[in-house]
Amino acid sequence: MPLKGALLLTSRGCPFNCSYCGCNLIFGRKLRFRSFENIEAEVKFLKEKLGIEGIWIVDDTFTIKKEHAIGVALILKKYGLIWGVSPGWIP
């Protein structure tokens, strides 16, 4: 399905030490989450100024904190965006 989209990073870091992954070497082991206000400001800009129709979330640990994942999903719903998540760690 062709659509105008963008990538979105809502958190950084990973507390795990998987042998096949270098995430914690790049971003560190401490999880850091962007605020919902900051995420919404970026999504609003992408939607209103660039006309995006979809978002691909590229967090390595997007589902590690349920409240964060739900909050981001609600922001994307508010702007009527189609979205998906890269497969990563799933609790």
Side-chain angles (χ1 to χ4, degrees), residues 4 8 21 47 70 78 85:
K4 192 172 187 179
L8 180 66
C21 178
K47 175 77 175 179
I70 291 171
K78 177 180 176 180
V85 179

Side-chain angles (χ1 to χ4, degrees), residues 2 5 8 15 23 30 37 39 51 64 66 82 86:
L8 180 66
C23 176
K30 181 181 178 187
E37 295 81 14
I39 294 167
I64 199 167
K66 184 178 180 178
I82 297 169
S86 298

Side-chain angles (χ1 to χ4, degrees), residues 2 9 17 19-20 24-25 28 37-38 40 43 45 48 60-61 69 71 74-75 77 90:
L9 186 67
N17 194 24
S19 62
Y20 55 84
N24 61 14
L25 297 173
E37 295 81 14
N38 182 272
E40 184 166 359
V43 169
F45 172 82
E48 293 178 358
D60 290 304
T61 54
L74 290 173
I75 291 169
K77 180 180 180 182
I90 300 173

